[in-house]
Structure formats: structure tokens, C-alpha cells
Amino acid sequence: MAVVRPFMGIRPSQDLVEKVASLPYDVMNREEAKEMSIGNDYSFLHVVRAEIDVDDNVNQYDKVVYETARKNLDKMIGNGILVQDDSPRYYIYRQIMDGRVQTGLVGCTSIDDYMNNVIKKHEFTRPAKEVDRINNFDYCDANTAPIFLTYRKNDELNKIINDYIKFNKPIYNFTSEDDITHIVWVISGDFMIDNISKIFENTEYLYIADGHHRSASSVKVGLKRREENPDFTGEEEFNYFLSVIFPDEDLFIMDYNRVVKDLNGYTKEEFLEKVKDNFLVEEYTGGSYRPVDKHTYGMYLDNKWYKITAKDEITNKENIVDRLDVAILQDNLLGPILDIKDPRTDKRIDFIGGIRGLKELERRVDEGMKVAFSMYPTTIDDLMEVADTGEVMPPKSTWFEPKLRSGLFVHRLS
């Protein structure tokens, strides 16, 4: 059963929260992070992307970057930009995007639950990306960004959260520059805290929705601290990592689309004939094509959109992963026709989050890429089924929106 507990958070002062809160560290590159932080010394990017504050010639993974992150965090606390809670608390974090609401609980989850698969995963991680966040968390002595978790909805917990929202004022309520509203309530009463913790004790599993590298890094920092403190009891803060936990019914997964640099030596006509071996191909004249059903795809090629539909013989698979649209496209088109053997490492393929729209696919192809594919989004049920069976999704299978803001909550490890 899941262990979830409150924590003594570090969070922005109410008058500076809009300036502090930043997009997650992994949705931008170094140059974009630097541009976003211009004129805003309060931005939490100075902690999660501290390379913006060192010389451009310094490697972004150099230890001076992580030392700078720690200095910036300490400075923000020392100057009252961030304030420390005086008792353990849960928070309620609500996000509203285009009228759609998702409401999660902010607390700390157990590194042992992660290792014992009570917290279930659905993606592989890359060691280099883990090391980056290991260093950020370890140098800062803090989880500087939360993990995005989900669970199968619990009516009792939903009622507790909704009743609390109804009768209590939020501590934060602001709309960020991307038109997403962020509202936060603090829960500090012992009875409420105990009740919430007990509900999670009866929750069989939690699932990582987004943040596999952050969670793996948090666990490895915790294990490192255990080695450094052989008399640890298990109650120390480094045994837990910062999480925002949403019911599955609230979550929205967007399409995660693909663009490819070339046709692997085929002409347009030869390529289309190859695609027809496993897909029905139709020209689409209604503008950009966004799939509305599983096993259908949009394909943008030579200024023209096509609707392609996977034939039954390649969709009727027993294994849940093999039935995913991203796997069907990879196994029957990207791999055998375009020779994209490993989409994690192949430089000929790129991935475009659905938040950027289908016009971005058109732009990328019109400016030099050769073909783009619009995808039907993976569902939250697919994600949970994959995790429950111990399988791993193909890379770039899910794009969650809205993203969790960084800087709203910080969890000290000691």
C-alpha cells in the first residue's frame, strides 16, 4: 500500500509567487531558459536551470552549475523570496487549462515504494539525464521539482479535497503567461492530514505519469544519503520525494507527434506504396488531419495531408504495448520503411508535443524535414495497463498538459 505523507515545504511568498513559478526544467533548452529568465531574478529557473547564471562556455553539467543552483536557492530563502513552513502540511494544487480542471494533492512519497513497484513506471530512463537531476537535488539538498503521479480515483479522497476547497481560501491563485490558472490551498490540520494519509495506505498503487528521470534521480539521492547515514531510521526526509498526485479521471494526455528528416532513399511514390502494405492511405483535403480514433494517423508529405489507417492484421496483438499506436507506427512504418531503428537515439527523427499544434508539423516539413505523423493520444488507461503488466512504453508516448510549475513547492532532504 502507498505511503504518502505531509512535509515542511519551502514555497514562494504570496506577493512573488507569479514571478517565482517557472515551467519545468525539461521543456526548454539552455538558450530558451536564459531568455525566459531575463529581467526576472525571482524565477525558479535560477535553481532548476542554473546554467543560465554561469558563462555560456561552461558545460551545463559542470559542478559549478549545481553549486550555483544551491547558492541561488539559499539566496532566495535568505531574502524571503521563498519561505519555510513551520509544520508538516499537504497542499491541494489545482490547474485550469482551456476550462479543463485537474486537482492534485502535494505530498511526499516513499523511495521504498518506488523500488518495490508500489509506484509503477512505464518508461525507461537515460543515465545521463538521471545524473543531471541527481546532482541538482543533491547539491541543493532538496527536491527542487515534483514528480507527477496518478492513481485510480478514490471517491472518499475526492470528497475531502472538494469539500476543503469549497470552505477554504487558497494561498495562491494566479494565471501564468501560458494562460494556465494555478490555485493552491494548504492543509495543516492534524485530523485532515491523518485522514488523507490513511486513504493512501489503502491505495494499492501509484503511477508515474510524468517525471521518470526526476523520480529515479530522487531515489538515487535517497539511497546515497542512506549510505552516508548507515544508522538511518527510514523517517528522514531523504527517504521521500516530492510528488503531486492526481486522480486518473482528471488527467489529459495530448498527442506526441513525429517528424522524420528523409524518406530513407525512397521517392514519394515508392514510399507511399510501401506504406500501403500495412496501412490504408487516403488523401485528406479538409486541412490538417488530427486523428479521432485509435490506429489512425495523419501524415504530412509534400504539402499534402493523408489519413492512414492501420490494417487489422497489425493491430490485433495480445501484448498491450504492441497495440499502442506509437508502437504500431514504429514497428510497421518508422522502423521497417524509414529505418528508424532506435527512436531514442536516431538523429533523423524528432518529436513534437501536441501543445504546439499541427501547424508546427507542417512548418517543420516545409522547412526541411520530409514527413510528419500526427498521432491519436495514448490514454491514461493504456498507461496504467502497461505499468500493471510491467511493460515499458515506446519513447515519447505521452505528453501531459498542463505541466506542473516549478518553484511552488520545494522539499528539503535534511
Side-chain angles (χ1 to χ4, degrees):
M1 301 305 178
V3 176
V4 181
R5 74 177 198 177
F7 67 108
M8 291 178 60
I10 298 170
R11 54 185 176 82
S13 63
Q14 286 183 302
D15 57 330
L16 293 175
V17 62
E18 293 184 56
K19 293 183 176 181
V20 172
S22 73
L23 284 168
Y25 79 99
D26 56 351
V27 301
M28 68 196 76
N29 59 34
R30 183 175 188 165
E31 292 73 24
E32 290 168 335
K34 198 164 192 174
E35 179 72 22
M36 289 177 185
S37 64
I38 290 175
N40 184 5
D41 293 338
Y42 302 116
S43 172
F44 207 67
L45 290 175
H46 295 287
V47 176
V48 293
R49 296 299 299 260
E51 65 268 28
I52 64 178
D53 293 324
V54 302
D55 190 277
D56 289 342
N57 293 321
V58 175
N59 187 291
Q60 70 181 68
Y61 305 120
D62 192 282
K63 73 173 185 176
V64 71
V65 172
Y66 305 111
E67 291 169 344
T68 301
R70 173 61 185 253
K71 290 175 185 176
N72 289 344
L73 178 60
D74 288 346
K75 183 178 179 180
M76 293 176 82
I77 296 170
N79 290 344
I81 299 164
L82 300 176
V83 295
Q84 171 78 63
D85 287 336
D86 57 9
S87 62
R89 301 171 179 185
Y90 284 122
Y91 297 89
I92 299 168
Y93 181 17
R94 170 168 285 179
Q95 296 174 294
I96 305 172
M97 175 182 175
D98 297 330
R100 188 180 55 79
V101 179
Q102 64 182 35
T103 306
L105 185 82
V106 187
C108 282
T109 48
S110 164
I111 69 171
D112 292 301
D113 280 355
Y114 178 95
M115 293 186 290
N116 296 331
N117 212 35
V118 172
I119 298 174
K120 294 197 170 191
K121 308 91 179 162
H122 66 268
E123 285 184 8
F124 286 126
T125 57
R126 292 166 55 189
K129 291 186 69 174
E130 283 186 27
V131 169
D132 172 50
R133 287 305 98 178
I134 288 170
N135 286 330
N136 183 271
F137 296 163
D138 199 25
Y139 275 78
C140 289
D141 189 34
N143 299 136
T144 56
I147 314 306
F148 189 153
L149 300 179
T150 188
Y151 61 97
R152 290 187 170 87
K153 73 167 184 173
N154 181 294
D155 291 336
E156 183 182 5
L157 184 55
N158 281 355
K159 186 177 187 308
I160 288 172
I161 289 174
N162 290 332
D163 286 349
Y164 194 86
I165 287 171
K166 190 183 301 182
F167 297 109
N168 292 273
K169 292 183 178 180
I171 56 169
Y172 305 135
N173 187 343
F174 68 97
T175 300
S176 49
E177 68 278 1
D178 52 2
D179 292 324
I180 296 170
T181 299
H182 306 264
I183 312 174
V184 175
W185 293 261
V186 60
I187 299 175
S188 56
D190 289 343
F191 177 78
M192 284 274 298
I193 286 174
D194 290 344
N195 205 6
I196 290 170
S197 299
K198 286 175 182 175
I199 289 172
F200 278 109
E201 287 175 11
N202 293 314
T203 300
E204 191 171 10
Y205 298 113
L206 302 174
Y207 299 81
I208 299 174
D210 197 12
H212 281 78
H213 289 92
R214 276 167 279 155
S215 54
S217 300
S218 298
V219 170
K220 289 182 178 178
V221 171
L223 293 176
K224 177 175 180 287
R225 298 294 178 92
R226 286 181 175 183
E227 289 183 6
E228 295 167 351
N229 299 272
D231 296 327
F232 73 92
T233 67
E235 292 302 309
E236 297 88 355
E237 292 301 322
F238 57 71
N239 295 288
Y240 299 86
F241 56 89
L242 182 63
S243 301
V244 187
I245 315 169
F246 295 90
D248 57 350
E249 63 182 355
D250 278 15
L251 298 187
F252 178 58
I253 303 178
M254 298 188 76
D255 42 308
Y256 211 157
N257 303 310
R258 279 90 168 115
V259 290
V260 180
K261 187 175 182 179
D262 58 65
L263 297 183
N264 192 31
Y266 294 114
T267 65
K268 171 187 169 182
E269 292 72 23
E270 290 170 337
F271 172 69
L272 286 172
E273 287 303 311
K274 286 282 188 181
V275 172
K276 289 176 183 177
D277 288 343
N278 286 314
F279 297 85
L280 303 175
V281 179
E282 310 167 57
E283 284 192 28
Y284 183 76
T285 58
S288 306
Y289 182 71
R290 183 182 301 280
V292 295
D293 295 298
K294 283 189 174 184
H295 309 331
T296 61
Y297 309 81
M299 183 171 70
Y300 184 67
L301 173 67
D302 195 20
N303 296 305
K304 188 178 294 184
W305 278 96
Y306 299 83
K307 174 186 176 183
I308 64 174
T309 305
K311 294 181 180 179
D312 290 344
E313 54 263 35
I314 66 170
T315 63
N316 294 328
K317 305 288 186 179
E318 291 186 10
N319 184 281
I320 173 60
V321 174
D322 292 340
R323 296 197 304 269
L324 296 175
D325 281 357
V326 287
I328 291 169
L329 187 71
Q330 176 62 39
D331 295 343
N332 297 280
L333 197 159
L334 297 178
I337 300 176
L338 295 180
D339 199 35
I340 306 292
K341 300 300 186 188
D342 186 351
R344 287 185 179 83
T345 58
D346 199 308
K347 302 298 185 185
R348 295 167 52 234
I349 190 169
D350 201 2
F351 302 88
I352 310 294
I355 192 68
R356 303 185 72 173
L358 298 186
K359 292 299 180 185
E360 178 66 11
L361 300 186
E362 295 177 10
R363 184 190 71 80
R364 291 291 297 274
V365 172
D366 293 344
E367 293 182 1
M369 302 295 271
K370 195 67 178 179
V371 62
F373 300 92
S374 59
M375 311 290 295
Y376 184 77
T378 304
T379 68
I380 192 68
D381 289 336
D382 288 337
L383 182 154
M384 288 180 158
E385 186 176 351
V386 169
D388 282 338
T389 57
E391 299 276 2
V392 176
M393 284 187 172
K396 311 297 185 182
S397 294
T398 56
W399 182 280
F400 284 89
E401 285 289 345
K403 303 292 187 186
L404 303 180
R405 230 52 183 189
S406 292
L408 292 179
F409 317 99
V410 177
H411 168 235
R412 278 290 197 200
L413 300 180
S414 62

